[in-house]
């Protein structure tokens, strides 16, 4: 994968409400921003369905991932390359 390509990843999201906690798995697209020693930094290109808008996991937030996390991939286009070059809503910090 190269900058601007799309990778579909699985995200396990902890959801709580009504006194219960559960994990929800969502499949979301990420646009590759950088390749670093076989690993990637991408920017989330989806809004999660199971949680409210936030600054940790939302459209435009940077996320790290490896090839083992990719369940699907698509070649990017001019639009995705432009989005990959933009400053993310929030940079990844471990």
């Amino acid at each position: 994968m190269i900058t601007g390509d799309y990778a579909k990843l699985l995200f396990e999201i902890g959801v709580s409400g009504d006194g219960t906690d559960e994990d929800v798995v969502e499949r979301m697209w990420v646009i590759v921003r950088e390749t670093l020693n076989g690993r990637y930094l991408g920017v989330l290109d989806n809004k999660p369905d199971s949680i409210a808008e936030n600054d940790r996991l939302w459209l435009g937030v940077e996320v790290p991932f490896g090839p083992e996390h990719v369940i699907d991939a698509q070649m990017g286009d001019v639009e995705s390359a432009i989005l990959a070059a933009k400053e993310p809503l929030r940079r990844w910090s471990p």
Side-chain angles (χ1 to χ4, degrees):
M1 285 189 296
I2 61 171
T3 300
D5 283 351
Y6 293 92
K8 187 179 277 189
L9 312 179
L10 295 175
F11 290 83
E12 188 173 324
I13 302 170
V15 179
S16 60
D18 297 334
T20 62
D21 293 333
E22 64 178 298
D23 289 335
V24 175
V25 176
E26 292 200 36
R27 293 159 180 81
M28 295 189 284
W29 289 101
V30 171
I31 299 172
V32 176
R33 297 190 73 229
E34 292 181 51
T35 303
L36 308 163
N37 300 320
R39 311 292 293 171
Y40 304 97
L41 275 178
V43 62
L44 192 58
D45 195 43
N46 283 107
K47 295 177 182 176
D49 290 329
S50 59
I51 56 176
E53 185 171 347
N54 64 84
D55 66 351
R56 294 196 52 83
L57 186 63
W58 203 256
L59 177 69
V61 171
E62 188 174 67
V63 293
F65 64 99
E68 70 274 16
H69 301 116
V70 178
I71 61 169
D72 196 4
Q74 291 183 3
M75 285 181 49
D77 53 23
V78 173
E79 183 179 335
S80 65
I82 291 169
L83 289 171
K86 286 185 173 182
E87 183 66 21
L89 176 66
R90 179 179 181 272
R91 286 221 176 246
W92 174 255
S93 61

